[in-house]
Amino acid sequence: MAAIPASAAPAESAGVFRDVINSIFEPGVNRGVLVVMNCAFLGLFAILVYLLFATRFNLHVCALTVIAVLLFASIQWFIVEVAASRSRQSSSESPSKRTPKLKKKKL
């Protein structure tokens, strides 16, 4: 059985906190940042749901809840689209390394 080269092996997570710190020095967003962001939104939603019941569905709290849900949905959609774009880009780069030779037409 052949060993997998270190460059082909998937990067292992060193922990959420370390991933967030490392993301400062790396381009893009890593898994740790996404986990922290999702936890922050979870906390926000918990507080907004509590406020909805505590204020008897105040119009302002309802509006803030809708805005937060739409913001969360748009961020999640954007993350999915960026991942899909990267996978399309990487899959299109591998076959394009070989450029087809064009035949010259005789006039």
Side-chain angles (χ1 to χ4, degrees):
M1 182 166 212
I4 299 174
S7 60
E12 291 186 24
S13 177
V16 174
F17 182 71
R18 187 168 287 178
D19 283 346
V20 171
I21 297 300
N22 288 339
S23 73
I24 296 171
F25 306 108
E26 298 172 354
V29 178
N30 60 26
R31 189 83 178 144
V33 174
L34 295 177
V35 168
V36 169
M37 182 190 67
N38 288 337
C39 290
F41 270 108
L42 181 66
L44 175 65
F45 292 143
I47 291 170
L48 286 173
V49 167
Y50 168 75
L51 285 174
L52 279 172
F53 290 114
T55 61
R56 294 186 210 141
F57 295 94
N58 183 339
L59 178 64
H60 296 96
V61 178
C62 290
L64 285 175
T65 304
V66 169
I67 290 170
V69 167
L70 292 175
L71 176 65
F72 179 73
S74 64
I75 289 173
Q76 295 300 316
W77 171 80
F78 184 75
I79 291 169
V80 168
E81 288 298 316
V82 167
S85 173
R86 284 184 181 169
S87 67
R88 281 192 305 260
Q89 184 180 14
S90 66
S91 67
S92 67
E93 285 179 357
S94 23
S96 67
K97 289 182 181 177
R98 289 183 287 146
T99 55
K101 294 181 180 179
L102 300 175
K103 294 180 180 180
K104 294 182 180 179
K105 292 183 180 180
K106 293 182 181 179
L107 296 176

